[in-house]
Amino acid sequence: MSLNYDQAIEKYEPTLGLEVHVELNTKSKMFCGCATEFGAKPNTQTCPVCLGLPGALPVVNKKAIESTILIGLALNCSIAPYSRFARKNYFYPDMPKNFQTSQYDEPICTNGYLDVEIETDEGSKSFKIEIERVHMEEDTGKSLHVGGNTGRIHGADYSLLDYNRAGIPLVEIVTKIIPKTGKYAPQVARAYVAALRDILRGLQVSDVKMEQGSLRCDVNLSLSRVGSGKLGTRSETKNVNSLRSVERAVTGEIIRQSDRLEQGERIIQETRHFLEESGQTRPGRSKEQAEDYRYFPEPDLVPVVPDSKWIEELKKTLPEKPADRRKRLQSAWSVPDKEMAAMVNAELLDTVEQTVLLGADATKARSWWLGEISRIANDRNVFPTDLISVKDVAEIIALIAKGELTDKLARQVLEGVISGEGSPVDVITKRGLKVVSDDSQLMKAIEDAIAASPDTAERVRGGNIPAAGALIGAVMKATGGQADAAKVRELLLKHLGQ
Amino acid sequence: MSAISRDEVANLARLARIAMSDAELDHLAGEMDVILGAVARVQEVASKDVLATSHPLDVSNVVREDLVVASLSPTEALSGAPASEDQRFKVPQILGEE
Ligand SMILES: [Zn+2]
C-alpha cells in the first residue's frame, strides 16, 4: 500500500545530505585566463590549458582561492593550512582532459556550520546544519546530445561539445548528514540552500542564479524506520535547480523510498534525476558498483598554503551575515516576524531596503512591494523589480507622503509606469492625476454635496459626525476620486461648524 | 605475497580504457609488482611527518591574478578535433544516460 507524505513520515525518519555546487563569478577561469562569460558563442572561450592539450600548464586563479576561503569563513569552517588539488579521472567527453581538477582528501575548508530557521505551525524552528567540507574544482563543458535516445552506444548517436564552461571555478559545499529533521526535512533542505545562497550573494563571489546553473544542488536522502537507529541506503538526486525543486525533490524521494520499503523492496544506491514537471525523480546511473576515479595529487599544481595573515585580511572583508542583517532591519523597521518572513520568502528584502534608502517609509515600501506590485508581478509571472524600478516606487511613495497622491491615485500612477508611460511624474501629467488640493475647488464640491443632501448636513451640524461619511463620499465622487479624503473631511466638518 | 594482483591490473586497465591481452596482463602484473615493491621499500624509511610528495620543488601558492587573456579562436580550438559540427567538438556518445 502506498503511503502519503504524513504516513511515510510517521513511519520513517529521513536523513538528508546536501551538496551544493556554486560557480564563482571570477572574470577568468580556474587555471587559465579564458573568459567566463555566460552565453558566449560555442568554443570561443578555450585555450590549450582548458582543452587539456599536451604540455599546457595550469596556474590557479588567486581570486578563486580567496572566494573559496571567504565562503569557508562565512560558513564557520577551519581553513586548512595546507591543501592540494587532485585529478579525478573519468572518461566522459564533458572534460577534454579526461580528468577534472578537484580536491580530494585535502580540501581547503572543513568542519563548519550554518544555522537555518524555518517557519512552522509550531512557530519558528532552528536547525544547525554541519558542513563537512568546502572545496575547489572546475566546471565541465556542455554536451548537446544528437540523435536517438536509446541509452546505448549507437553509430547514429553522437554528442557535440562546447568547452566554454570547462574550467570555470566551481566550489562544492558538502554538508555532513543532517539527521532528525523529521517531517520538516523538505523545508530544512530548502531553507539551507536559501540561506547558503544569501551568504554567497552577500559575499559577492557568485551570481547564484539557480536557473542559469551557477548554483546547483544535489540531494542525498535515505530513510530509516523510526526508532531503528540505523541509516538506510541513500539515493542522490542531481541538479535540482530551484529552491522550490529542492523542497519537492526531498518530498518526492521520501514518498518514493517509503513506497519501495513498504513493498518489501530495498533502496538501491543510485543517482537519480529530478523531473521538474512531476516533482518526481527517475533513475540515472546506478552506483551499485562504486565509481573509482583513481584520484591522485595533481602534479602540475603546487599546494595552496594560506598563511594566517592572508586569512586575517580576508576575514576583514567579510560582510554582515544575512541573518544578522535581517535582525537589524527587522528591528529598525519594526516589522512583525510573519511579515519579515514573507518579505524574505518573496526575496524582496534587498528591494525594500533600497527603497527605504531612497527615503521611503519602511512600512509603505514593504506594503507596496509585497502588495500591489507583487500581485501584478504574479499575474504576469515576472519578478516585481522587472515591472518597476526601486527609484520610481520610492518617488510614488514620496508623492503620497507629500499629499500629492492618494493611495488610489498612486495605484493608477503605478499602473501607468508599469505600462511604460514614463516616470511617475510623467504619468501624473499625462493622465492628469494630481490630487485636488485647491481649497476653493474643493469647497465648491462640498457646498454642492451639502445642497444635494440638506438633511444629512443638518444631522452633522447637530453633532452626528459619522453621518458626514455620505457627504465625503459625494465629494470624492464629484472630484473623480482625486481629492484627499482626509482633507475633504477636515474642510467639510469645519464648514458645518464641527 | 605480491603487492598487486593480476585482477587488480586488469581492473586498472579497464578503468584507464586500455585494452590488454592475457599475455600482456601476465607480463605487466609481474612488472608492476616489482615497481610497487620498490616503492614499499622507500615507504619503510619515510617517517610519518614527511608529507607525500606531489611536486619535485618545494613551492606553494603559485597563483595568477584574475585577468582575462585572449582565448584560441574556435577554428584553432577545433583544429585538432577528429570531427566537429556547429562550432562544437563532435564525439561518439560514450555514456547513454544524462
Ligand atoms: Zn582556457
Side-chain angles (χ1 to χ4, degrees), chain A residues 32 34 46-47 50:
Chain A
C32 62
C34 288
T46 69
C47 74
C50 54

Side-chain angles (χ1 to χ4, degrees), chain A residues 29 31-35 45-51 163 166-167, chain B residues 70-72:
Chain A
K29 289 189 180 180
F31 304 111
C32 62
C34 288
Q45 297 173 169
T46 69
C47 74
V49 173
C50 54
L51 288 177
Y163 291 123
Chain B
S71 293
L72 296 175

Side-chain angles (χ1 to χ4, degrees), chain A residues 25 100 102 108 135 243 286 359 406 416 430 491:
Chain A
N25 59 0
Q100 179 191 34
S102 180
I108 188 159
H135 78 239
L243 291 179
S286 169
T406 58
K430 280 184 210 157
L491 289 174

Side-chain angles (χ1 to χ4, degrees), chain A residues 18-301:
Chain A
L18 298 164
E19 287 173 27
V20 168
H21 282 95
V22 58
E23 248 180 27
L24 298 180
N25 59 0
T26 52
K27 292 189 183 69
S28 65
K29 289 189 180 180
M30 187 78 197
F31 304 111
C32 62
C34 288
T36 55
E37 215 167 295
F38 180 79
K41 293 243 163 62
N43 295 304
T44 50
Q45 297 173 169
T46 69
C47 74
V49 173
C50 54
L51 288 177
L53 299 185
L57 202 59
V59 185
V60 186
N61 184 332
K62 185 180 179 195
K63 172 112 190 283
I65 297 179
E66 294 190 327
S67 298
T68 314
I69 294 176
L70 281 172
I71 294 170
L73 291 172
L75 296 174
N76 311 291
C77 289
S78 314
I79 310 302
Y82 179 95
S83 139
R84 277 194 301 187
F85 288 95
R87 289 190 182 181
K88 177 182 181 180
N89 299 281
Y90 69 99
F91 293 88
Y92 193 67
D94 64 1
M95 264 330 227
K97 303 189 287 190
N98 278 348
F99 64 83
Q100 179 191 34
T101 308
S102 180
Q103 293 196 292
Y104 181 50
D105 51 354
E106 295 163 303
I108 188 159
C109 317
T110 55
N111 291 321
Y113 65 86
L114 176 59
D115 289 316
V116 304
E117 236 172 64
I118 58 164
E119 291 303 318
T120 74
D121 296 342
E122 306 151 47
S124 71
K125 282 189 187 297
S126 180
F127 293 84
K128 183 178 230 98
I129 310 296
E130 292 190 280
I131 310 287
E132 168 95 22
R133 59 191 279 152
V134 176
H135 78 239
M136 296 179 275
E137 56 184 40
E138 57 182 334
D139 212 341
T140 57
K142 263 190 189 148
S143 336
L144 200 68
H145 300 298
V146 184
N149 49 6
T150 53
R152 295 283 176 271
I153 305 162
H154 263 278
D157 289 349
Y158 59 95
S159 301
L160 295 178
L161 271 298
D162 168 13
Y163 291 123
N164 282 348
R165 202 179 63 182
I168 290 185
L170 204 60
V171 169
E172 183 173 336
I173 302 160
V174 185
T175 66
K176 295 188 178 172
I177 60 166
I178 308 167
K180 302 205 161 53
T181 50
K183 64 176 172 179
Y184 300 122
Q187 262 178 287
V188 172
R190 177 189 178 134
Y192 165 74
V193 179
L196 189 56
R197 191 193 52 178
D198 288 349
I199 283 182
L200 296 166
R201 187 182 280 146
L203 291 171
Q204 296 181 315
V205 294
S206 169
D207 301 337
V208 291
K209 285 184 180 150
M210 291 190 88
E211 70 284 1
Q212 285 185 4
S214 57
L215 184 88
R216 329 197 269 267
C217 180
D218 299 343
V219 175
N220 290 317
L221 188 120
S222 69
L223 293 183
S224 56
R225 277 299 282 263
V226 168
S228 75
K230 270 193 289 187
L231 278 183
T233 306
R234 70 189 165 86
S235 67
E236 181 180 13
T237 304
K238 286 273 185 202
N239 288 334
V240 187
N241 288 334
S242 71
L243 291 179
R244 185 165 161 264
S245 298
V246 171
E247 192 169 349
R248 290 169 76 215
V250 174
T251 309
E253 267 303 282
I254 289 175
I255 291 173
R256 184 191 70 86
Q257 291 191 15
S258 71
D259 206 38
R260 279 191 74 93
L261 294 169
E262 283 302 294
Q263 290 173 26
E265 293 179 61
R266 66 190 185 97
I267 304 300
I268 300 166
Q269 186 175 338
E270 64 183 350
T271 302
R272 300 184 68 83
H273 295 271
F274 182 67
L275 304 171
E276 197 68 52
E277 315 78 53
S278 62
Q280 293 175 338
T281 62
R282 69 163 171 79
R285 264 179 298 167
S286 169
K287 273 199 181 168
E288 291 270 53
Q289 206 168 15
E291 285 169 66
D292 185 345
Y293 292 117
R294 296 172 296 133
Y295 280 98
F296 64 85
E298 162 61 87
D300 286 342
L301 291 166

Side-chain angles (χ1 to χ4, degrees), chain B residues 48-63:
Chain B
K48 283 224 158 59
D49 57 348
V50 175
L51 280 171
T53 307
S54 64
H55 199 275
L57 302 175
D58 185 19
V59 286
S60 59
N61 296 341
V62 176
V63 296

